[in-house]
Amino acid sequence: MEVHTHHSLHLFELLSPISDASIRHANWDASKVLDKLHRDIEVHVSSVRNDKLSELQATYDKQIRAALAEPVESLFEVGGSETWASIRNLLKRETDVAISCFSPALSGFELDQDAFDRMMHNLKDYARSVVEKKAREEAGKVLMRMKDRFNTVFSHDSDSIPRLWTGKENIKSVTMEARSESLKLMSIVAAIRLDGKPDRIESILFSRLLEGKISISSRNSDIADSCDPLASSSWEEISPEHTLLTPVQCKSLWRRFMTETEYIVSQAISAQEAYRQSNNWLPPAWAIVVMIILGFNEFMLLLRNPLYLVVLFVVYLLGKALWIQMDIPGEFQNGVLAGLISISSRFLPTVMDLLRHLAAEAQGNPAPGTSRTSQHVASQSFRSLVNSPNPVSSSVPSSAVSSNVSTETDFEYMSPQLTHRRATQMEQK
């Protein structure tokens, strides 16, 4: 721009001798031509200068927008208590950096002080407008931000680990914490606070919304509305141009937020209750009391007749022996139906084997019962029979088992009929 100015001055110096040049017998006046040329040069210089200034202004506006837009958005996403203080510090820092570079660039245009100050003021206003525009965008999607914050706080602990809703978590306190964080986001985007003036927006929202004081009876609704600070279209400390969410809008958004997050809380309560029921082997307390009252006579009968206790103890030992001998948990690994078939086919032979074992022990002879290894092999043979498409072809031959155990105690569990027949033959022997 300085080159254009010096060039125009050089043209004036070259054209100035024309006024002294004259032709005899000719009444030419060169002053009008010089004035027109001077005006044309000034118009051209002013146009070029304005274009250069506009281009320079656009360049620094773009730099400020890039330096402020994304950081401001990230600060709103975090939504802490110092959000607006951080935004003000960011705005001041980036504006000072832009002015420190913009001021030397304007010095070459030979602007007067008013024009220079106006350009600086425009740059500051643009930086402020970027922040205000981003704040209005965040206010428009505050409900989505609140629900995301609620889901994050409610579903994750302080270490960002997903919560497992067991019986130890206090769902009420977790829900209050998540709602508090969500309401804090609303209070942040309710108004523009670039001036740093204190306000009571957050305290009003927390006292009227989070603590549930907005629920009122229909009889006193008119009186309560007149005293409710949320039944208004403006905040006391905030001007209308700096208001992003009015008190009435905040109340409406909070009701929508509560409605759309109730399902998450109910799901957590259901999951916690299901977990408690699945891990609670004892009946409810009232059922235990009822059983004690109704079974008092039976309990006294057991105390008067110790023989019943002996019988119960023998039944317990027999049941535990059957549980271990038949490997009940292992039978159900291949499915409920296969487990039931296997247990039903093995129950009678196993009981008979235990009785023979007890009888032999009582007579002082070694038990001819089936060893644990043979029982395990027989169980595996039956499971392979159930899972195989052809049970007959996939049965385990008796010779494979007879190499490890006695042939007298070798049972092939190919079918219930074969098991019964084998047991009958052994009894006849």
Side-chain angles (χ1 to χ4, degrees):
M1 192 61 228
E2 188 176 357
V3 176
H4 289 281
T5 305
H6 288 301
H7 184 61
S8 61
L9 293 175
H10 183 63
L11 288 176
F12 285 132
E13 293 176 356
L14 292 177
L15 295 175
S16 58
I18 296 179
S19 60
D20 298 333
S22 61
I23 301 177
R24 290 183 179 182
H25 309 293
N27 296 325
W28 289 354
D29 188 4
S31 60
K32 294 183 179 180
V33 177
L34 290 175
D35 292 341
K36 184 177 183 305
L37 180 61
H38 185 269
R39 288 194 301 271
D40 292 342
I41 292 174
E42 286 185 347
V43 170
H44 176 70
V45 170
S46 178
S47 176
V48 172
R49 182 175 60 183
N50 291 335
D51 292 341
K52 292 295 182 181
L53 287 174
S54 299
E55 182 179 347
L56 186 64
Q57 182 81 44
T59 300
Y60 280 91
D61 288 348
K62 183 178 180 180
Q63 292 180 1
I64 285 183
R65 184 170 62 253
L68 292 177
E70 293 185 359
V72 169
E73 183 177 359
S74 65
L75 289 174
F76 277 122
E77 290 179 358
V78 173
S81 57
E82 299 296 327
T83 297
W84 279 108
S86 301
I87 291 176
R88 288 192 295 268
N89 294 333
L90 176 65
L91 175 62
K92 184 178 183 305
R93 183 176 67 252
E94 296 298 334
T95 304
D96 292 342
V97 171
I99 288 177
S100 63
C101 298
F102 190 51
S103 179
L106 292 177
S107 60
F109 289 89
E110 298 181 355
L111 298 175
D112 55 10
Q113 189 62 35
D114 293 338
F116 181 83
D117 293 340
R118 185 171 60 253
M119 294 288 290
M120 291 296 178
H121 185 71
N122 291 339
L123 185 64
K124 293 180 181 179
D125 287 345
Y126 181 78
R128 187 184 180 96
S129 67
V130 170
V131 176
E132 292 180 354
K133 181 180 179 181
K134 187 58 63 175
R136 296 183 188 278
E137 291 177 0
E138 292 296 323
K141 52 186 179 182
V142 63
L143 182 60
M144 180 187 68
R145 297 285 192 195
M146 290 170 64
K147 291 189 293 184
D148 292 342
R149 176 61 60 85
F150 181 85
N151 291 334
T152 301
V153 178
F154 187 79
S155 303
H156 298 78
D157 58 14
S158 57
D159 298 327
S160 299
I161 299 176
R163 297 182 190 272
L164 295 178
W165 297 109
T166 61
K168 300 179 180 179
E169 291 80 13
N170 188 347
I171 295 183
K172 183 177 180 181
S173 62
V174 174
T175 303
M176 290 298 293
E177 180 184 359
R179 288 174 178 173
S180 175
E181 293 294 328
S182 302
L183 188 58
K184 189 177 296 183
L185 287 179
M186 180 191 291
S187 65
I188 289 172
V189 299
I192 298 174
R193 301 178 177 90
L194 291 178
D195 297 333
K197 297 179 180 179
D199 57 72
R200 298 188 305 113
I201 294 179
E202 182 174 348
S203 61
I204 291 174
L205 291 178
F206 271 75
S207 62
R208 305 298 294 182
L209 298 180
L210 191 62
E211 298 176 4
K213 295 181 180 179
I214 62 172
S215 57
I216 53 178
S217 60
S218 58
R219 183 183 62 181
N220 299 326
S221 59
D222 297 335
I223 300 176
D225 286 339
S226 61
C227 302
D228 187 5
L230 297 181
S232 174
S233 60
S234 61
W235 302 101
E236 293 181 359
E237 304 89 354
I238 306 298
S239 60
E241 60 269 14
H242 291 162
T243 300
L244 301 179
L245 296 174
T246 63
V248 176
Q249 290 175 335
C250 290
K251 183 190 293 186
S252 176
L253 286 172
W254 183 252
R255 286 173 177 169
R256 290 180 55 188
F257 166 78
M258 293 289 289
T259 302
E260 296 181 12
T261 55
E262 283 180 355
Y263 178 75
I264 301 175
V265 180
S266 63
Q267 287 293 101
I269 295 174
S270 300
Q272 190 179 67
E273 187 65 25
Y275 183 87
R276 287 176 177 175
Q277 292 181 359
S278 63
N279 288 272
N280 189 8
W281 294 91
L282 295 176
W286 63 268
I288 296 176
V289 174
V290 170
M291 286 189 293
I292 292 174
I293 296 175
L294 297 180
F296 180 75
N297 294 332
E298 288 76 7
F299 179 72
M300 295 303 297
L301 179 63
L302 289 176
L303 292 180
R304 294 191 186 100
N305 243 333
L307 183 61
Y308 289 116
L309 293 176
V310 176
V311 173
L312 290 177
F313 182 69
V314 172
V315 171
Y316 167 74
L317 292 179
L318 182 60
K320 185 174 182 181
L322 288 174
W323 182 276
I324 298 174
Q325 188 77 9
M326 298 180 66
D327 190 18
I328 301 298
E331 294 296 339
F332 285 99
Q333 289 181 355
N334 295 325
V336 178
L337 182 59
L340 291 176
I341 294 174
S342 177
I343 292 172
S344 63
S345 63
R346 294 178 53 200
F347 179 76
L348 185 58
T350 305
V351 172
M352 294 176 61
D353 183 53
L354 286 175
L355 293 177
R356 285 196 303 270
H357 183 79
L358 292 175
E361 289 291 336
Q363 296 175 1
N365 298 326
T370 306
S371 65
R372 190 164 184 172
T373 305
S374 63
Q375 289 289 341
H376 178 71
V377 174
S379 176
Q380 294 296 331
S381 173
F382 180 80
R383 283 196 289 270
S384 63
L385 170 64
V386 174
N387 295 328
S388 174
N390 190 358
V392 177
S393 61
S394 61
S395 62
V396 179
S398 59
S399 60
V401 184
S402 61
S403 60
N404 295 324
V405 296
S406 173
T407 58
E408 185 179 357
T409 59
D410 180 21
F411 296 98
E412 295 180 0
Y413 299 98
M414 296 176 58
S415 65
Q417 293 81 3
L418 183 59
T419 303
H420 179 69
R421 186 165 55 251
R422 183 65 175 176
T424 306
Q425 291 174 2
M426 292 187 64
E427 289 178 359
Q428 293 176 358
K429 289 181 182 181

